[in-house]
Amino acid sequence: MSAFVPDGSTRIAASADGGAVDSVLTLTGERTIPGLDIENYWFRRHEVVYERLAPRCAGRDVLEAGCGEGYGADLIAGVANRVVAVDYDESAVAHVRSRYPRVEVLQGNLAELPLPDASVDVVVNFQVIEHLWDQGQFVRECARVLRPCGLLMISTPNRITFSPGRDTPINPFHTRELNADELAELLVDSGFRDVSMNGLFHGPRLLEMDARHGGSIIDAQIARAVADAPWSPQLVADVAAVTTSDFDLVERGVRDIDASLDLVAIAVRG
């Protein structure tokens, strides 16, 4: 996901290499796009999970269910035997097909994945499940297309910290957000076992940035988006400087999972 762009604000056409140009994709807040300074925090927060989990895809047949712009599927394609990407959005599919030729991309509904039974070793679903209406049906579809002992890897915003105290998500593109226990229960109920739950946290440099921006660099960005207000030069510089090394991905039990920003679950097909 991305910091949402509220109704009435500017929507930015962007290419994958960062230029503001006419393109099939726009920065609407529904997906994150690489190469834009104002989007860099959210992009790196997503990219780090791909980087840390890509080794689990080495030499394997991988499905990315909900590929968005396609940068993550392409990253995984650098180590996997094969990467198939599925997305519902026609413009995203066209963009991935044009931009990332080593990814096989299909248009399809994630509730009815356009793949045969037991056809892949790994399913990747990062920052997507919170957008889906029927999450259980989707996870069961993941189990269907996975080979025995295949892996499902999911990341999603932690409801407790992303939409604190709310019954409905703060992001208008989200249908249902989850906490760690809810995500684990969803996976187990859909036929998965050996669920490993991890949390994504700000590392030391991002904590310093939080302190410079009233306690939260996230809130500083969202407040300006909601108010359609200009960014301070310090906020612009800090957001543009964020890298994947500024995030910590930690196993449950090492730190309080309920305090994490995003949840990262790895589960085995039963």
Side-chain angles (χ1 to χ4, degrees), residues 52 64 83 87 112 161 166 175 214:
R52 304 285 172 85
E64 180 167 25
V83 176
D87 203 277
E112 298 178 355
T161 58
R166 292 174 58 98
T175 60

Side-chain angles (χ1 to χ4, degrees), residues 1-5 29-30 131 162-163 166 168-175 177:
M1 77 131 250
S2 165
F4 66 85
V5 180
E30 187 171 11
H131 295 262
F162 197 81
S163 298
R166 292 174 58 98
T168 57
I170 192 171
N171 188 307
F173 296 103
H174 293 182
T175 60
E177 294 169 356

Side-chain angles (χ1 to χ4, degrees), residues 18-42:
V21 299
D22 292 333
S23 172
V24 295
L25 294 183
T26 58
L27 181 61
T28 65
E30 187 171 11
R31 68 171 73 87
T32 189
I33 295 176
L36 295 175
D37 284 353
I38 63 167
E39 182 71 1
N40 186 59
Y41 169 85
W42 298 101

Side-chain angles (χ1 to χ4, degrees), residues 10 19 60 64 95 112 132 195 203 216 224 256:
T10 303
R60 297 183 171 187
E64 180 167 25
H95 177 82
E112 298 178 355
L132 304 181
V195 178
S216 173
R224 284 157 180 80
D256 179 7

Side-chain angles (χ1 to χ4, degrees), residues 62-255:
V62 179
L63 164 67
E64 180 167 25
C67 62
E69 194 275 342
Y71 66 88
D74 186 64
L75 187 156
I76 291 170
V79 299
N81 175 58
R82 175 191 182 210
V83 176
V84 179
V86 174
D87 203 277
Y88 188 74
D89 185 83
E90 289 185 12
S91 63
V93 169
H95 177 82
V96 174
R97 187 170 289 133
S98 173
R99 180 74 182 177
Y100 303 112
R102 60 184 179 176
V103 175
E104 303 171 38
V105 62
L106 304 171
Q107 184 182 11
N109 188 333
L110 299 192
E112 298 178 355
L113 291 169
L115 274 76
D117 295 356
S119 55
V120 295
D121 303 303
V122 181
V123 175
V124 170
N125 180 253
F126 293 161
Q127 302 294 325
V128 174
I129 196 168
E130 65 276 4
H131 295 262
L132 304 181
W133 288 103
D134 194 339
Q135 296 172 344
Q137 171 63 19
F138 164 67
V139 177
R140 289 189 292 273
E141 275 291 279
C142 292
R144 180 185 65 80
V145 303
L146 278 168
R147 294 171 182 143
C149 299
L151 293 182
L152 172 59
M153 303 195 294
I154 289 182
S155 75
T156 189
N158 179 4
R159 176 174 59 80
I160 295 173
T161 58
F162 197 81
S163 298
R166 292 174 58 98
D167 293 328
T168 57
I170 192 171
N171 188 307
F173 296 103
H174 293 182
T175 60
R176 180 195 177 206
E177 294 169 356
L178 303 163
N179 65 30
D181 291 339
E182 291 164 343
L183 178 56
E185 182 180 12
L186 175 65
L187 295 172
V188 171
D189 287 349
S190 301
F192 286 86
R193 59 179 173 82
D194 299 336
V195 178
S196 169
M197 194 67 63
N198 307 271
L200 191 73
F201 297 84
H202 283 179
R205 204 165 74 102
L206 267 168
L207 291 174
E208 292 176 2
M209 293 182 189
D210 283 334
R212 280 200 293 274
H213 298 285
S216 173
I217 193 171
I218 301 169
D219 291 348
Q221 294 174 81
I222 292 175
R224 284 157 180 80
V226 170
D228 196 19
W231 290 26
S232 69
Q234 183 67 67
L235 182 60
V236 170
D238 281 347
V239 167
V242 174
T243 70
T244 56
S245 63
D246 293 322
F247 295 91
D248 294 336
L249 185 60
V250 181
E251 292 183 6
R252 185 174 199 166
V254 176
R255 292 181 63 177

